Amino acid sequence: MCGIIGYAGTEKAAPLILDGLKRLEYRGYDSAGIATVSDNELQIKKDQGKIDEINNELTLSDMNGNTGIGHTRWATHGAPSQNNAHPHTDNENKIAVVHNGIIENYSELREFLVGEGYEFQSETDTEVIPHLVDHFMNQGKKFEDAVRNTAARLEGSYALAITFVGEPGKLVIVREQSPLIVGLGADESLVASDIPAILPHTKRVIILDDGEMGVLTAGNVEITRVESGETVEKEIQEVDWSPEMAEKGGHPHFMLKEILEQPDAIQNTLRVPEGELGELSKILEKADHIYLVACGTSHHAALVGKYALAKLADVSAEAIISSEFQESCVPKEGDVVFAISQSGETADTLKAVRVAIENGAKVVSLTNVVGSSITRLSELSCLTRAGPEIGVAATKTFVSQITYLLLLAFHMARKRGQISGEEFNDMANQLRGLPDITREVLDEVNTQTKKIGEEYTDIKRGYFIGRGIGFPTAMEGSLKLKEIAYVHSGAYPAGELKHGPLALVEPGTLVIALVTPGPARERMIGNIEEVRARGGKVLTLAPEGDKEVKEHVEEVISLPQVLEILSPLVYVLPLQLLAYHMGVDRGHDPDKPRHLAKSVTVE
Ligand code: M6R
């Protein structure tokens, strides 16, 4: 997805912007560019490709000036190309704009501007913006007023950073339904679409709200409402992420670093304030209907949450994929939509949230990013505390989401008298032991999964089976294998095999079976035998000490005995590592899987 970074200060802007762009690479992009203002001239360098390639070709860091904006583009309107890359300018090269989001009425605006004599250089929706600013400046408006008038004409979502040669030390920024933060330095001001881009400079940030704009100069920031021009007093927030936390920490890839950070992510998420769980429980208990709305990996966490709420607390909730919410659900007053999203910016989930609000339902959320768009639309926003997740693959945010949802289920179960105090303490203590257990598992299975991955170098497809709470974990394993190793894969409740998917099994077909602890174990062994009888090759994840399972399969990954309800936190680890090693062995970059993006901000 697109990323923005801008700088107004006393240092040379281009190298800082270049560094910020690299920190935004994880969002996924296809082109990048920088604009700086120097000696009453706008300098622009941009192209299609990776930032390092563009820098090698155009030496971005050489650009002069103490003010500038940079952008990583993920194509929506117009193919990836130099012309379509941001920044975009007006016809006289005085105004430069970078934009995240989508301008829905751009065709109409483009027609108007063409009628006014403007010539367009790109196919983007963004290019209407510099021309509109120019149009209003030609009518005698000052730079920021022209931006204000422009914003009033735009429909859709936009985060904007804009420079103008006539006011070289200034950036004007606007936010509408696309995140934008301001970083405050001693004699410098920064703007970015997300926090890691500015971490080396400052930890003091202001989070813009929809309908706000800012004027940034060296060390000074003024925020106003776009519509009224009224000044807004914004809270300055301290971000507790260090730049190192957002870097690879000595590992070859962010994905591996983040897989290995999972014990800490669980530990930190266990620190959720008791009051927050109480407040959330109260809202959920009063709900006529609970929808757990999420996409991808977050949806798998939601499925675990649904299972835990039903089995432990006798609370029924529907886990629904966000993009299907508006197609298949009818939220009403009295209903609660519980949005789960690590980024808090996923467009499909945001849309579901907006549909819920429009229909009078309450919205609560669980995200990993303070101040993200979903949190800001929520009546109650809860946080997983996984730290920044840079790899496109969701790993540590998944275990954090599950940890949070389990705590919630324990809390509700106790409150509703579904479990005794003793049972509650036992489950909570076992959950508290998970950081140590997962640390040991990661130590043990890293080498084993690497070896297994090497054995499967030629595998073209693989199927995952599980039962009960093992099924969402199987789905997550399957998603990871597709996303990172590009291996075709599907996940099925093991009991469904005989209703169709078994036809796919032929000699040598890889089936990964999750034998989780609990009453379904016997039936899982039966399903494994169904696969073996057709020549399938079964890799099994099973509790250590389960000798019987070993007799039935070719290869076992033994995992510690934990409560069934906690098993997703343990079973997912070898599946993530397997996908990681298989992806690396096949020469893929696990941090930036093809065609995918970290923060999916289009529907
Ligand atoms: O930020 P979100 O949790 O809302 O993202 C949802 C999905 O896009 C995300 O989980 C995606 O499936 C992951 N890349 C999978 O690893």
Side-chain angles (χ1 to χ4, degrees), residues 47 65 79 81 123 150 165 247 271 290 319 336 339 496 529 572:
D47 209 345
S81 70
E123 302 154 273
T150 298
V165 281
E247 286 165 10
R271 299 200 178 106
I290 302 169
V336 174
E496 274 293 292
E529 281 309 320
V572 76

Side-chain angles (χ1 to χ4, degrees), residues 155-285:
E155 285 169 22
S157 60
Y158 46 89
L160 304 174
I162 309 179
T163 56
F164 166 53
V165 281
E167 300 194 48
K170 189 183 273 187
L171 290 181
V172 179
I173 61 171
V174 189
R175 171 188 165 135
E176 183 61 44
Q177 292 184 37
S178 187
L180 208 53
I181 55 142
V182 174
L184 306 169
D187 47 10
E188 57 190 11
S189 305
L190 296 104
V191 60
S193 48
D194 52 358
I195 293 168
I198 59 158
L199 276 180
H201 301 277
T202 181
K203 291 184 177 165
R204 298 174 70 228
V205 302
I206 290 174
I207 298 167
L208 248 62
D209 279 299
D210 287 344
E212 288 178 351
M213 62 184 277
V215 176
L216 277 53
T217 49
N220 192 44
V221 173
E222 283 169 31
I223 310 288
T224 54
R225 295 291 309 162
V226 172
E227 227 175 75
S228 62
E230 273 168 35
T231 303
V232 187
E233 292 304 327
K234 300 291 290 185
E235 184 196 347
I236 298 175
Q237 302 193 19
E238 290 279 339
V239 181
D240 63 357
W241 295 358
S242 67
E244 297 71 40
M245 278 170 84
E247 286 165 10
K248 287 185 198 155
H251 297 288
H253 301 103
F254 283 114
M255 182 178 176
L256 181 59
K257 173 180 174 264
E258 287 157 6
I259 288 174
L260 299 176
E261 281 172 350
Q262 291 182 106
D264 294 333
I266 297 174
Q267 182 87 63
N268 291 335
T269 302
L270 284 169
R271 299 200 178 106
V272 53
E274 197 59 23
E276 184 176 296
L277 288 176
E279 217 181 316
L280 179 56
S281 309
K282 258 192 220 151
I283 296 177
L284 296 178
E285 276 202 302

Side-chain angles (χ1 to χ4, degrees), residues 186-498:
D187 47 10
E188 57 190 11
S189 305
L190 296 104
V191 60
S193 48
D194 52 358
I195 293 168
I198 59 158
L199 276 180
H201 301 277
T202 181
K203 291 184 177 165
R204 298 174 70 228
V205 302
I206 290 174
I207 298 167
L208 248 62
D209 279 299
D210 287 344
E212 288 178 351
M213 62 184 277
V215 176
L216 277 53
T217 49
N220 192 44
V221 173
E222 283 169 31
I223 310 288
T224 54
R225 295 291 309 162
V226 172
E227 227 175 75
S228 62
E230 273 168 35
T231 303
V232 187
E233 292 304 327
K234 300 291 290 185
E235 184 196 347
I236 298 175
Q237 302 193 19
E238 290 279 339
V239 181
D240 63 357
W241 295 358
S242 67
E244 297 71 40
M245 278 170 84
E247 286 165 10
K248 287 185 198 155
H251 297 288
H253 301 103
F254 283 114
M255 182 178 176
L256 181 59
K257 173 180 174 264
E258 287 157 6
I259 288 174
L260 299 176
E261 281 172 350
Q262 291 182 106
D264 294 333
I266 297 174
Q267 182 87 63
N268 291 335
T269 302
L270 284 169
R271 299 200 178 106
V272 53
E274 197 59 23
E276 184 176 296
L277 288 176
E279 217 181 316
L280 179 56
S281 309
K282 258 192 220 151
I283 296 177
L284 296 178
E285 276 202 302
K286 284 193 206 136
D288 294 334
H289 194 95
I290 302 169
Y291 296 99
L292 301 173
V293 172
C295 308
T297 294
S298 296
H299 171 63
H300 302 151
L303 287 168
V304 172
K306 165 198 155 95
Y307 180 104
L309 286 168
K311 287 275 177 177
L312 297 177
D314 192 22
V315 169
S316 87
E318 188 178 348
I320 178 118
I321 290 177
S322 310
S323 55
E324 285 298 301
F325 183 72
Q326 59 178 325
E327 319 294 348
S328 61
C329 300
V330 191
K332 296 182 211 49
E333 210 180 312
D335 293 346
V336 174
V337 165
F338 186 174
I340 301 173
S341 165
Q342 67 79 22
S343 62
E345 300 295 347
T346 301
D348 288 328
T349 309
L350 257 174
K351 178 70 188 190
V353 160
R354 291 199 170 106
V355 168
I357 293 171
E358 276 159 25
N359 286 281
K362 261 196 205 327
V363 172
V364 294
S365 62
L366 180 62
T367 74
N368 195 45
V369 182
V370 191
S372 58
S373 303
I374 291 175
T375 65
R376 296 148 85 77
L377 292 174
S378 308
E379 198 152 310
L380 177 67
S381 61
C382 308
L383 261 192
T384 48
R385 290 164 171 79
E389 188 175 72
I390 307 297
V392 165
T395 53
K396 61 178 180 168
T397 53
F398 178 63
V399 295
S400 304
Q401 288 166 339
I402 292 177
T403 303
Y404 195 104
L405 294 168
L406 289 177
L407 282 172
L408 173 69
F410 295 173
H411 183 95
M412 290 188 81
R414 181 69 199 112
K415 202 170 153 215
R416 292 160 62 82
Q418 297 293 322
I419 53 172
S420 66
E422 206 179 316
E423 283 169 317
F424 174 85
N425 288 338
D426 182 42
M427 283 193 289
N429 283 338
Q430 295 217 30
L431 181 54
R432 275 186 221 113
L434 258 287
D436 286 342
I437 292 177
T438 49
R439 208 164 278 123
E440 278 165 31
V441 172
L442 288 166
D443 269 358
E444 278 163 27
V445 299
N446 197 5
T447 322
Q448 191 185 2
T449 47
K450 187 165 177 359
K451 208 171 126 269
I452 296 173
E454 283 159 13
E455 280 167 33
Y456 294 159
T457 325
D458 298 326
I459 287 280
K460 300 269 183 302
R461 59 200 173 102
Y463 303 108
F464 290 72
I465 54 172
R467 277 177 180 263
I469 206 160
F471 175 52
T473 320
M475 290 173 82
E476 179 56 13
S478 170
L479 174 63
K480 286 287 163 287
L481 197 66
K482 288 190 272 263
E483 183 184 24
I484 303 301
Y486 309 161
V487 169
H488 172 73
S489 158
Y492 306 99
E496 274 293 292
L497 269 188
K498 56 188 177 295

